[in-house]
Amino acid sequence: MLVRLLYVSRAVDTSPEAIDNIVAQSRQSNPSCGITGILCYGGGIFLQAIEGGRNAVSELYGHIQRDPRHKDVVLLHFEEITERRFGGWTMGQVNLARINTSIVLKYSERPELDPYAVSGRVSLALLEELMATASIIGRS
């Protein structure tokens, strides 16, 4: 059974090297687990959608909750799905510092990423718009 999970967390280390390390590790380990998804980062906040089998997604989310590189981990949305939205992405990446702030403003009160202040469905809609507008990099 396929599921999609959306969570938000704060980065403990916000250096570009630390963020790149998280993305590289995801891209290396996710394919063997059947995990696909999108990682959005901005202002010290991660917003990530992960898709795959229920057990694989649950295990990965448990690992993220225990990962010392993340704090304030909050589950925003979880659903059973019939198909993947991010199936072609081992772990796509969005750097919000490089996108038009009007896209973020469309889904929030201010032009900065704050998934803690909006619903999970709104955050998922933002990720889908970023994908549709080719704001996501690193498809591999």
Side-chain angles (χ1 to χ4, degrees), residues 1 12 15 26 34 84 86 95 130 135 140:
M1 168 176 297
V12 172
S15 70
S26 296
R84 298 174 192 247
F86 310 111
N95 181 341
L130 292 172
S135 298
S140 60

Side-chain angles (χ1 to χ4, degrees), residues 25-137:
Q25 183 179 353
S26 296
R27 288 182 178 156
Q28 180 179 355
S29 59
N30 287 349
S32 64
C33 301
I35 298 287
T36 57
I38 300 294
L39 176 66
C40 189
Y41 177 77
I45 294 176
F46 291 109
L47 173 64
Q48 185 173 28
I50 51 179
E51 299 172 324
R54 183 181 2 213
N55 290 340
V57 169
S58 293
E59 284 182 31
L60 178 56
Y61 182 62
H63 173 76
I64 291 164
Q65 289 177 302
R66 296 183 302 275
D67 190 327
R69 299 173 297 181
H70 296 267
K71 65 182 179 181
D72 303 330
V73 180
V74 174
L75 178 66
L76 297 176
H77 185 74
F78 180 86
E79 65 181 325
E80 295 176 351
I81 57 175
T82 57
E83 63 184 31
R84 298 174 192 247
R85 288 188 182 151
F86 310 111
W89 305 82
T90 319
M91 189 49 57
Q93 180 184 9
V94 176
N95 181 341
L96 286 174
R98 296 183 182 165
I99 67 166
N100 186 333
T101 56
S102 65
I103 293 174
V104 178
L105 189 58
K106 179 178 176 180
Y107 296 98
S108 63
E109 294 178 18
R110 299 185 342 219
E112 54 194 48
L113 178 66
D114 187 6
Y116 293 101
V118 298
S119 73
R121 291 202 185 275
V122 166
S123 294
L124 188 56
L126 170 62
L127 288 178
E128 289 173 344
E129 175 134 354
L130 292 172
M131 187 171 69
T133 59
S135 298
I136 297 171
I137 58 172

Side-chain angles (χ1 to χ4, degrees), residues 5-16:
L5 182 147
L6 183 67
Y7 78 89
V8 62
S9 69
R10 296 187 194 283
V12 172
D13 180 352
T14 59
S15 70

